[in-house]
Amino acid sequence: FSGKNSALMWSTYALFDPSYQNHESFGFFIDVGNGWTTIAPCLYLNYAMVYPENVSHLLLGCVVIASYWQMLYGTLIYFLSFLFNKRYE
């Protein structure tokens, strides 16, 4: 995973879906929001995998479920807006 490959992937997808390159669209903000808000839960999850004895399993489960729900919800809303706005045409 290099920056060059990520930029190529983003620019190719942005050609496919114009709302992705629009900084005022939901699709743009859900991706940026998910990117920023999943850093802490992912770090906590990785720490828990390395040091499972140092974390609360109940808290870890709640954090992972909430993070999963956030990503799922954002993805479904983004996909539905893609279909509703007929971006596939």
Side-chain angles (χ1 to χ4, degrees), residues 24-85:
E24 297 174 351
S25 72
F26 179 80
F28 175 81
F29 275 102
I30 198 66
D31 284 344
V32 171
N34 276 344
W36 284 107
T37 59
T38 56
I39 292 172
C42 288
L43 289 174
Y44 185 58
L45 176 61
N46 284 309
Y47 179 80
M49 287 191 281
V50 176
Y51 303 106
E53 66 278 355
N54 294 341
V55 298
S56 163
H57 297 125
L58 179 61
L59 178 62
L60 178 64
C62 291
V63 167
V64 170
I65 288 170
S67 183
Y68 173 77
W69 175 253
Q70 173 197 354
M71 288 185 279
L72 177 66
Y73 177 77
T75 301
L76 290 175
I77 295 298
Y78 179 73
F79 183 68
L80 290 173
S81 72
F82 178 81
L83 294 175
F84 181 77
N85 293 317

Short mmCIF file of all heavy atoms in Angstrom, two decimals, residues 24-85:
data_model
loop_
_atom_site.label_atom_id
_atom_site.label_comp_id
_atom_site.label_asym_id
_atom_site.label_seq_id
_atom_site.Cartn_x
_atom_site.Cartn_y
_atom_site.Cartn_z
N GLU A 24 -18.67 18.66 -1.06
CA GLU A 24 -19.93 18.97 -0.38
C GLU A 24 -20.87 17.77 -0.33
O GLU A 24 -21.95 17.86 0.23
CB GLU A 24 -20.63 20.12 -1.10
CG GLU A 24 -19.82 21.40 -1.06
CD GLU A 24 -20.44 22.50 -1.91
OE1 GLU A 24 -21.41 22.21 -2.66
OE2 GLU A 24 -19.96 23.63 -1.82
N SER A 25 -20.46 16.64 -0.88
CA SER A 25 -21.36 15.48 -0.95
C SER A 25 -21.24 14.60 0.29
O SER A 25 -20.24 14.61 1.01
CB SER A 25 -21.06 14.64 -2.20
OG SER A 25 -19.84 13.96 -2.04
N PHE A 26 -22.28 13.81 0.51
CA PHE A 26 -22.28 12.88 1.64
C PHE A 26 -21.19 11.82 1.47
O PHE A 26 -20.52 11.46 2.44
CB PHE A 26 -23.65 12.20 1.77
CG PHE A 26 -23.70 11.22 2.90
CD1 PHE A 26 -23.88 11.66 4.20
CD2 PHE A 26 -23.56 9.87 2.67
CE1 PHE A 26 -23.92 10.76 5.25
CE2 PHE A 26 -23.59 8.97 3.71
CZ PHE A 26 -23.77 9.41 5.00
N GLY A 27 -21.01 11.33 0.26
CA GLY A 27 -20.02 10.28 0.01
C GLY A 27 -18.62 10.71 0.40
O GLY A 27 -17.87 9.95 1.00
N PHE A 28 -18.29 11.94 0.10
CA PHE A 28 -16.97 12.46 0.46
C PHE A 28 -16.83 12.53 1.98
O PHE A 28 -15.85 12.06 2.55
CB PHE A 28 -16.75 13.84 -0.16
CG PHE A 28 -15.48 14.49 0.26
CD1 PHE A 28 -14.29 14.15 -0.35
CD2 PHE A 28 -15.47 15.43 1.28
CE1 PHE A 28 -13.10 14.74 0.04
CE2 PHE A 28 -14.29 16.03 1.68
CZ PHE A 28 -13.10 15.69 1.06
N PHE A 29 -17.84 13.09 2.64
CA PHE A 29 -17.74 13.28 4.08
C PHE A 29 -17.83 11.97 4.86
O PHE A 29 -17.20 11.84 5.91
CB PHE A 29 -18.80 14.27 4.58
CG PHE A 29 -18.34 15.68 4.45
CD1 PHE A 29 -18.80 16.46 3.42
CD2 PHE A 29 -17.42 16.21 5.33
CE1 PHE A 29 -18.36 17.77 3.28
CE2 PHE A 29 -16.97 17.51 5.21
CZ PHE A 29 -17.44 18.29 4.18
N ILE A 30 -18.57 11.00 4.37
CA ILE A 30 -18.64 9.74 5.09
C ILE A 30 -17.30 9.02 5.01
O ILE A 30 -16.84 8.41 5.98
CB ILE A 30 -19.81 8.84 4.62
CG1 ILE A 30 -20.12 7.77 5.66
CG2 ILE A 30 -19.52 8.18 3.30
CD1 ILE A 30 -20.64 8.28 6.95
N ASP A 31 -16.62 9.11 3.88
CA ASP A 31 -15.30 8.48 3.76
C ASP A 31 -14.27 9.18 4.63
O ASP A 31 -13.47 8.54 5.32
CB ASP A 31 -14.84 8.46 2.31
CG ASP A 31 -15.54 7.39 1.51
OD1 ASP A 31 -16.13 6.49 2.12
OD2 ASP A 31 -15.49 7.45 0.27
N VAL A 32 -14.26 10.50 4.60
CA VAL A 32 -13.32 11.25 5.44
C VAL A 32 -13.64 11.02 6.92
O VAL A 32 -12.74 10.77 7.73
CB VAL A 32 -13.37 12.76 5.09
CG1 VAL A 32 -12.57 13.58 6.09
CG2 VAL A 32 -12.85 12.98 3.68
N GLY A 33 -14.92 11.06 7.26
CA GLY A 33 -15.32 10.84 8.65
C GLY A 33 -14.95 9.45 9.14
O GLY A 33 -14.43 9.29 10.25
N ASN A 34 -15.20 8.44 8.34
CA ASN A 34 -14.83 7.08 8.73
C ASN A 34 -13.32 6.96 8.86
O ASN A 34 -12.82 6.26 9.76
CB ASN A 34 -15.33 6.05 7.72
CG ASN A 34 -16.76 5.66 7.96
OD1 ASN A 34 -17.31 5.88 9.02
ND2 ASN A 34 -17.38 5.07 6.96
N GLY A 35 -12.59 7.61 7.98
CA GLY A 35 -11.13 7.56 8.06
C GLY A 35 -10.60 8.12 9.37
O GLY A 35 -9.72 7.53 10.00
N TRP A 36 -11.14 9.24 9.80
CA TRP A 36 -10.66 9.87 11.04
C TRP A 36 -11.20 9.19 12.29
O TRP A 36 -10.48 9.04 13.28
CB TRP A 36 -11.03 11.35 11.07
CG TRP A 36 -10.14 12.17 10.19
CD1 TRP A 36 -10.46 12.74 9.00
CD2 TRP A 36 -8.76 12.49 10.40
NE1 TRP A 36 -9.38 13.40 8.47
CE2 TRP A 36 -8.32 13.25 9.31
CE3 TRP A 36 -7.86 12.19 11.42
CZ2 TRP A 36 -7.02 13.73 9.21
CZ3 TRP A 36 -6.56 12.66 11.31
CH2 TRP A 36 -6.17 13.42 10.22
N THR A 37 -12.45 8.79 12.27
CA THR A 37 -13.04 8.27 13.51
C THR A 37 -12.74 6.80 13.76
O THR A 37 -13.04 6.31 14.85
CB THR A 37 -14.57 8.47 13.52
OG1 THR A 37 -15.13 7.81 12.39
CG2 THR A 37 -14.92 9.94 13.50
N THR A 38 -12.18 6.10 12.82
CA THR A 38 -11.85 4.69 13.05
C THR A 38 -10.39 4.49 13.48
O THR A 38 -10.01 3.37 13.78
CB THR A 38 -12.13 3.83 11.81
OG1 THR A 38 -11.42 4.37 10.70
CG2 THR A 38 -13.60 3.77 11.51
N ILE A 39 -9.61 5.56 13.54
CA ILE A 39 -8.21 5.41 13.94
C ILE A 39 -8.11 4.89 15.38
O ILE A 39 -7.44 3.88 15.63
CB ILE A 39 -7.45 6.74 13.78
CG1 ILE A 39 -7.33 7.08 12.29
CG2 ILE A 39 -6.06 6.65 14.41
CD1 ILE A 39 -6.75 8.46 12.02
N ALA A 40 -8.76 5.56 16.32
CA ALA A 40 -8.67 5.16 17.73
C ALA A 40 -9.21 3.74 17.97
O ALA A 40 -8.53 2.93 18.63
CB ALA A 40 -9.37 6.17 18.62
N PRO A 41 -10.41 3.38 17.46
CA PRO A 41 -10.88 2.01 17.68
C PRO A 41 -9.96 0.95 17.07
O PRO A 41 -9.75 -0.11 17.66
CB PRO A 41 -12.26 1.97 17.01
CG PRO A 41 -12.71 3.38 16.97
CD PRO A 41 -11.47 4.19 16.83
N CYS A 42 -9.38 1.25 15.91
CA CYS A 42 -8.47 0.28 15.28
C CYS A 42 -7.18 0.12 16.08
O CYS A 42 -6.67 -0.99 16.22
CB CYS A 42 -8.16 0.69 13.85
SG CYS A 42 -9.56 0.48 12.74
N LEU A 43 -6.67 1.22 16.60
CA LEU A 43 -5.48 1.13 17.44
C LEU A 43 -5.77 0.33 18.71
O LEU A 43 -4.96 -0.49 19.14
CB LEU A 43 -4.97 2.53 17.79
CG LEU A 43 -4.32 3.32 16.65
CD1 LEU A 43 -4.01 4.74 17.11
CD2 LEU A 43 -3.08 2.62 16.14
N TYR A 44 -6.93 0.57 19.30
CA TYR A 44 -7.33 -0.17 20.49
C TYR A 44 -7.48 -1.66 20.18
O TYR A 44 -7.04 -2.51 20.96
CB TYR A 44 -8.63 0.42 21.06
CG TYR A 44 -9.08 -0.19 22.35
CD1 TYR A 44 -8.27 -0.17 23.48
CD2 TYR A 44 -10.33 -0.78 22.47
CE1 TYR A 44 -8.68 -0.71 24.68
CE2 TYR A 44 -10.75 -1.32 23.66
CZ TYR A 44 -9.93 -1.29 24.76
OH TYR A 44 -10.34 -1.83 25.94
N LEU A 45 -8.08 -1.98 19.06
CA LEU A 45 -8.25 -3.37 18.67
C LEU A 45 -6.89 -4.05 18.44
O LEU A 45 -6.67 -5.17 18.89
CB LEU A 45 -9.11 -3.48 17.40
CG LEU A 45 -9.30 -4.87 16.82
CD1 LEU A 45 -9.99 -5.79 17.83
CD2 LEU A 45 -10.10 -4.80 15.54
N ASN A 46 -5.98 -3.35 17.77
CA ASN A 46 -4.65 -3.92 17.54
C ASN A 46 -3.90 -4.12 18.86
O ASN A 46 -3.22 -5.13 19.04
CB ASN A 46 -3.84 -3.03 16.59
CG ASN A 46 -4.32 -3.20 15.17
OD1 ASN A 46 -4.42 -4.31 14.67
ND2 ASN A 46 -4.62 -2.11 14.51
N TYR A 47 -4.01 -3.15 19.75
CA TYR A 47 -3.39 -3.29 21.07
C TYR A 47 -3.97 -4.50 21.80
O TYR A 47 -3.24 -5.28 22.42
CB TYR A 47 -3.61 -2.02 21.88
CG TYR A 47 -3.02 -2.08 23.26
CD1 TYR A 47 -1.66 -1.85 23.46
CD2 TYR A 47 -3.82 -2.37 24.36
CE1 TYR A 47 -1.11 -1.92 24.72
CE2 TYR A 47 -3.28 -2.45 25.63
CZ TYR A 47 -1.92 -2.22 25.81
OH TYR A 47 -1.38 -2.29 27.06
N ALA A 48 -5.29 -4.68 21.71
CA ALA A 48 -5.95 -5.81 22.38
C ALA A 48 -5.51 -7.14 21.80
O ALA A 48 -5.45 -8.14 22.52
CB ALA A 48 -7.46 -5.66 22.28
N MET A 49 -5.19 -7.17 20.52
CA MET A 49 -4.73 -8.43 19.92
C MET A 49 -3.32 -8.78 20.40
O MET A 49 -2.99 -9.96 20.54
CB MET A 49 -4.77 -8.34 18.40
CG MET A 49 -6.17 -8.40 17.84
SD MET A 49 -6.23 -8.60 16.05
CE MET A 49 -5.90 -6.93 15.51
N VAL A 50 -2.51 -7.77 20.65
CA VAL A 50 -1.14 -8.02 21.09
C VAL A 50 -1.09 -8.25 22.61
O VAL A 50 -0.35 -9.11 23.08
CB VAL A 50 -0.22 -6.84 20.68
CG1 VAL A 50 1.19 -7.05 21.21
CG2 VAL A 50 -0.20 -6.70 19.17
N TYR A 51 -1.86 -7.47 23.35
CA TYR A 51 -1.87 -7.56 24.82
C TYR A 51 -3.30 -7.81 25.32
O TYR A 51 -3.91 -6.93 25.94
CB TYR A 51 -1.33 -6.27 25.44
CG TYR A 51 0.06 -5.92 24.98
CD1 TYR A 51 0.27 -4.88 24.08
CD2 TYR A 51 1.16 -6.63 25.44
CE1 TYR A 51 1.55 -4.56 23.65
CE2 TYR A 51 2.44 -6.31 25.02
CZ TYR A 51 2.63 -5.27 24.13
OH TYR A 51 3.89 -4.97 23.70
N PRO A 52 -3.87 -8.97 25.09
CA PRO A 52 -5.27 -9.22 25.47
C PRO A 52 -5.51 -9.15 26.97
O PRO A 52 -6.63 -8.87 27.41
CB PRO A 52 -5.56 -10.61 24.92
CG PRO A 52 -4.24 -11.25 24.73
CD PRO A 52 -3.26 -10.14 24.47
N GLU A 53 -4.48 -9.39 27.76
CA GLU A 53 -4.66 -9.37 29.21
C GLU A 53 -4.77 -7.95 29.78
O GLU A 53 -5.17 -7.77 30.93
CB GLU A 53 -3.51 -10.12 29.91
CG GLU A 53 -2.14 -9.46 29.76
CD GLU A 53 -1.43 -9.76 28.44
OE1 GLU A 53 -1.91 -10.56 27.64
OE2 GLU A 53 -0.36 -9.17 28.24
N ASN A 54 -4.45 -6.94 28.97
CA ASN A 54 -4.46 -5.55 29.45
C ASN A 54 -5.71 -4.77 29.09
O ASN A 54 -5.77 -3.58 29.37
CB ASN A 54 -3.25 -4.79 28.89
CG ASN A 54 -1.93 -5.32 29.42
OD1 ASN A 54 -1.89 -5.99 30.44
ND2 ASN A 54 -0.86 -5.01 28.73
N VAL A 55 -6.68 -5.40 28.46
CA VAL A 55 -7.87 -4.66 28.03
C VAL A 55 -9.13 -5.33 28.58
O VAL A 55 -9.15 -6.52 28.89
CB VAL A 55 -7.99 -4.59 26.48
CG1 VAL A 55 -6.81 -3.85 25.89
CG2 VAL A 55 -8.11 -5.95 25.87
N SER A 56 -10.16 -4.51 28.70
CA SER A 56 -11.46 -5.03 29.09
C SER A 56 -12.13 -5.63 27.86
O SER A 56 -12.32 -4.94 26.85
CB SER A 56 -12.32 -3.89 29.64
OG SER A 56 -13.67 -4.28 29.66
N HIS A 57 -12.46 -6.90 27.93
CA HIS A 57 -13.06 -7.56 26.78
C HIS A 57 -14.45 -7.01 26.48
O HIS A 57 -14.86 -6.93 25.32
CB HIS A 57 -13.09 -9.07 26.98
CG HIS A 57 -11.72 -9.65 27.11
ND1 HIS A 57 -11.34 -10.42 28.17
CD2 HIS A 57 -10.64 -9.55 26.31
CE1 HIS A 57 -10.08 -10.78 28.02
NE2 HIS A 57 -9.63 -10.26 26.90
N LEU A 58 -15.16 -6.62 27.52
CA LEU A 58 -16.48 -6.03 27.32
C LEU A 58 -16.37 -4.68 26.59
O LEU A 58 -17.10 -4.43 25.63
CB LEU A 58 -17.19 -5.85 28.67
CG LEU A 58 -18.58 -5.22 28.61
CD1 LEU A 58 -19.53 -6.09 27.79
CD2 LEU A 58 -19.12 -5.01 30.01
N LEU A 59 -15.45 -3.84 27.04
CA LEU A 59 -15.24 -2.55 26.38
C LEU A 59 -14.78 -2.76 24.94
O LEU A 59 -15.25 -2.08 24.02
CB LEU A 59 -14.23 -1.71 27.16
CG LEU A 59 -13.88 -0.37 26.53
CD1 LEU A 59 -15.11 0.53 26.44
CD2 LEU A 59 -12.76 0.31 27.31
N LEU A 60 -13.87 -3.69 24.74
CA LEU A 60 -13.37 -3.97 23.40
C LEU A 60 -14.52 -4.40 22.48
O LEU A 60 -14.64 -3.93 21.35
CB LEU A 60 -12.30 -5.06 23.43
CG LEU A 60 -11.74 -5.48 22.07
CD1 LEU A 60 -11.01 -4.33 21.41
CD2 LEU A 60 -10.83 -6.69 22.24
N GLY A 61 -15.37 -5.29 22.98
CA GLY A 61 -16.51 -5.74 22.17
C GLY A 61 -17.44 -4.60 21.82
O GLY A 61 -17.90 -4.49 20.67
N CYS A 62 -17.71 -3.72 22.77
CA CYS A 62 -18.59 -2.57 22.52
C CYS A 62 -17.97 -1.62 21.49
O CYS A 62 -18.66 -1.13 20.59
CB CYS A 62 -18.88 -1.83 23.82
SG CYS A 62 -19.90 -2.76 24.96
N VAL A 63 -16.67 -1.36 21.61
CA VAL A 63 -15.98 -0.47 20.68
C VAL A 63 -16.00 -1.06 19.26
O VAL A 63 -16.26 -0.36 18.28
CB VAL A 63 -14.54 -0.19 21.15
CG1 VAL A 63 -13.71 0.46 20.06
CG2 VAL A 63 -14.55 0.67 22.39
N VAL A 64 -15.72 -2.35 19.15
CA VAL A 64 -15.69 -2.99 17.83
C VAL A 64 -17.08 -3.03 17.21
O VAL A 64 -17.23 -2.76 16.01
CB VAL A 64 -15.07 -4.41 17.93
CG1 VAL A 64 -15.25 -5.19 16.65
CG2 VAL A 64 -13.60 -4.31 18.30
N ILE A 65 -18.10 -3.33 17.99
CA ILE A 65 -19.47 -3.34 17.45
C ILE A 65 -19.88 -1.94 16.97
O ILE A 65 -20.44 -1.78 15.89
CB ILE A 65 -20.46 -3.88 18.50
CG1 ILE A 65 -20.27 -5.38 18.66
CG2 ILE A 65 -21.90 -3.58 18.10
CD1 ILE A 65 -21.03 -5.98 19.83
N ALA A 66 -19.57 -0.92 17.78
CA ALA A 66 -19.91 0.45 17.40
C ALA A 66 -19.16 0.87 16.14
O ALA A 66 -19.73 1.50 15.24
CB ALA A 66 -19.61 1.41 18.54
N SER A 67 -17.89 0.52 16.05
CA SER A 67 -17.09 0.87 14.88
C SER A 67 -17.61 0.16 13.63
O SER A 67 -17.71 0.75 12.56
CB SER A 67 -15.63 0.50 15.14
OG SER A 67 -14.82 0.89 14.07
N TYR A 68 -17.94 -1.11 13.79
CA TYR A 68 -18.50 -1.87 12.67
C TYR A 68 -19.81 -1.25 12.21
O TYR A 68 -20.04 -1.07 11.01
CB TYR A 68 -18.71 -3.33 13.07
CG TYR A 68 -19.45 -4.12 12.02
CD1 TYR A 68 -18.79 -4.56 10.87
CD2 TYR A 68 -20.79 -4.40 12.15
CE1 TYR A 68 -19.47 -5.25 9.89
CE2 TYR A 68 -21.48 -5.10 11.18
CZ TYR A 68 -20.81 -5.52 10.05
OH TYR A 68 -21.49 -6.21 9.09
N TRP A 69 -20.69 -0.92 13.14
CA TRP A 69 -21.98 -0.34 12.80
C TRP A 69 -21.80 0.99 12.06
O TRP A 69 -22.48 1.26 11.08
CB TRP A 69 -22.84 -0.13 14.03
CG TRP A 69 -24.11 0.58 13.72
CD1 TRP A 69 -24.42 1.86 14.03
CD2 TRP A 69 -25.21 0.08 12.96
NE1 TRP A 69 -25.67 2.19 13.53
CE2 TRP A 69 -26.16 1.10 12.86
CE3 TRP A 69 -25.48 -1.14 12.34
CZ2 TRP A 69 -27.36 0.95 12.18
CZ3 TRP A 69 -26.68 -1.30 11.68
CH2 TRP A 69 -27.60 -0.26 11.60
N GLN A 70 -20.87 1.81 12.52
CA GLN A 70 -20.60 3.09 11.88
C GLN A 70 -20.16 2.90 10.43
O GLN A 70 -20.64 3.56 9.52
CB GLN A 70 -19.53 3.85 12.65
CG GLN A 70 -19.08 5.11 11.95
CD GLN A 70 -17.76 5.63 12.47
OE1 GLN A 70 -17.22 5.11 13.43
NE2 GLN A 70 -17.25 6.64 11.83
N MET A 71 -19.23 1.97 10.21
CA MET A 71 -18.75 1.73 8.84
C MET A 71 -19.84 1.12 7.97
O MET A 71 -19.99 1.49 6.80
CB MET A 71 -17.51 0.84 8.87
CG MET A 71 -16.29 1.55 9.40
SD MET A 71 -14.80 0.57 9.30
CE MET A 71 -14.98 -0.47 10.73
N LEU A 72 -20.61 0.19 8.52
CA LEU A 72 -21.70 -0.43 7.76
C LEU A 72 -22.75 0.60 7.38
O LEU A 72 -23.18 0.66 6.23
CB LEU A 72 -22.34 -1.56 8.56
CG LEU A 72 -23.54 -2.23 7.90
CD1 LEU A 72 -23.12 -2.96 6.64
CD2 LEU A 72 -24.22 -3.18 8.87
N TYR A 73 -23.16 1.43 8.34
CA TYR A 73 -24.17 2.44 8.09
C TYR A 73 -23.71 3.43 7.01
O TYR A 73 -24.44 3.73 6.07
CB TYR A 73 -24.49 3.19 9.39
CG TYR A 73 -25.49 4.31 9.22
CD1 TYR A 73 -26.83 4.04 9.09
CD2 TYR A 73 -25.07 5.64 9.17
CE1 TYR A 73 -27.75 5.06 8.91
CE2 TYR A 73 -25.98 6.66 9.01
CZ TYR A 73 -27.32 6.37 8.88
OH TYR A 73 -28.22 7.37 8.70
N GLY A 74 -22.49 3.92 7.14
CA GLY A 74 -21.95 4.85 6.15
C GLY A 74 -21.87 4.23 4.77
O GLY A 74 -22.21 4.86 3.76
N THR A 75 -21.45 2.97 4.70
CA THR A 75 -21.35 2.29 3.41
C THR A 75 -22.72 2.09 2.78
O THR A 75 -22.89 2.32 1.57
CB THR A 75 -20.65 0.92 3.60
OG1 THR A 75 -19.36 1.15 4.16
CG2 THR A 75 -20.52 0.19 2.27
N LEU A 76 -23.69 1.68 3.57
CA LEU A 76 -25.04 1.47 3.03
C LEU A 76 -25.66 2.78 2.54
O LEU A 76 -26.26 2.83 1.46
CB LEU A 76 -25.94 0.82 4.07
CG LEU A 76 -25.63 -0.63 4.40
CD1 LEU A 76 -26.50 -1.12 5.54
CD2 LEU A 76 -25.77 -1.52 3.18
N ILE A 77 -25.51 3.85 3.32
CA ILE A 77 -26.06 5.14 2.92
C ILE A 77 -25.36 5.64 1.65
O ILE A 77 -26.00 6.15 0.73
CB ILE A 77 -25.94 6.17 4.06
CG1 ILE A 77 -26.80 5.76 5.23
CG2 ILE A 77 -26.30 7.57 3.57
CD1 ILE A 77 -28.28 5.70 4.94
N TYR A 78 -24.05 5.50 1.61
CA TYR A 78 -23.30 5.92 0.42
C TYR A 78 -23.76 5.12 -0.81
O TYR A 78 -24.00 5.67 -1.87
CB TYR A 78 -21.81 5.75 0.64
CG TYR A 78 -21.00 6.15 -0.55
CD1 TYR A 78 -20.85 7.49 -0.90
CD2 TYR A 78 -20.39 5.20 -1.35
CE1 TYR A 78 -20.12 7.87 -2.00
CE2 TYR A 78 -19.66 5.57 -2.46
CZ TYR A 78 -19.53 6.90 -2.78
OH TYR A 78 -18.80 7.26 -3.88
N PHE A 79 -23.88 3.80 -0.66
CA PHE A 79 -24.29 2.95 -1.77
C PHE A 79 -25.71 3.30 -2.22
O PHE A 79 -25.98 3.39 -3.43
CB PHE A 79 -24.20 1.48 -1.35
CG PHE A 79 -24.54 0.52 -2.45
CD1 PHE A 79 -23.72 0.39 -3.56
CD2 PHE A 79 -25.67 -0.26 -2.38
CE1 PHE A 79 -24.03 -0.50 -4.58
CE2 PHE A 79 -26.00 -1.15 -3.38
CZ PHE A 79 -25.16 -1.27 -4.48
N LEU A 80 -26.61 3.51 -1.27
CA LEU A 80 -27.97 3.87 -1.64
C LEU A 80 -28.04 5.24 -2.33
O LEU A 80 -28.81 5.42 -3.27
CB LEU A 80 -28.88 3.84 -0.41
CG LEU A 80 -29.15 2.45 0.15
CD1 LEU A 80 -29.91 2.55 1.46
CD2 LEU A 80 -29.89 1.59 -0.84
N SER A 81 -27.23 6.20 -1.89
CA SER A 81 -27.22 7.50 -2.56
C SER A 81 -26.63 7.37 -3.96
O SER A 81 -27.04 8.06 -4.89
CB SER A 81 -26.46 8.54 -1.75
OG SER A 81 -25.08 8.30 -1.77
N PHE A 82 -25.67 6.46 -4.13
CA PHE A 82 -25.10 6.19 -5.46
C PHE A 82 -26.19 5.66 -6.39
O PHE A 82 -26.32 6.10 -7.53
CB PHE A 82 -23.96 5.17 -5.32
CG PHE A 82 -23.32 4.77 -6.62
CD1 PHE A 82 -22.36 5.59 -7.20
CD2 PHE A 82 -23.66 3.59 -7.23
CE1 PHE A 82 -21.76 5.21 -8.40
CE2 PHE A 82 -23.07 3.21 -8.42
CZ PHE A 82 -22.11 4.02 -9.01
N LEU A 83 -26.99 4.72 -5.90
CA LEU A 83 -28.07 4.16 -6.71
C LEU A 83 -29.19 5.17 -6.92
O LEU A 83 -29.71 5.32 -8.04
CB LEU A 83 -28.62 2.90 -6.06
CG LEU A 83 -27.68 1.71 -5.99
CD1 LEU A 83 -28.32 0.57 -5.22
CD2 LEU A 83 -27.26 1.25 -7.37
N PHE A 84 -29.59 5.86 -5.87
CA PHE A 84 -30.69 6.82 -5.96
C PHE A 84 -30.38 7.95 -6.94
O PHE A 84 -31.25 8.38 -7.69
CB PHE A 84 -30.98 7.40 -4.57
CG PHE A 84 -32.11 8.38 -4.55
CD1 PHE A 84 -33.44 7.93 -4.61
CD2 PHE A 84 -31.89 9.74 -4.51
CE1 PHE A 84 -34.49 8.83 -4.60
CE2 PHE A 84 -32.92 10.64 -4.51
CZ PHE A 84 -34.23 10.19 -4.56
N ASN A 85 -29.15 8.41 -6.94
CA ASN A 85 -28.74 9.49 -7.85
C ASN A 85 -28.31 8.99 -9.23
O ASN A 85 -27.88 9.77 -10.06
CB ASN A 85 -27.61 10.31 -7.23
CG ASN A 85 -28.07 11.06 -6.01
OD1 ASN A 85 -29.15 11.64 -6.02
ND2 ASN A 85 -27.27 11.05 -4.97
#
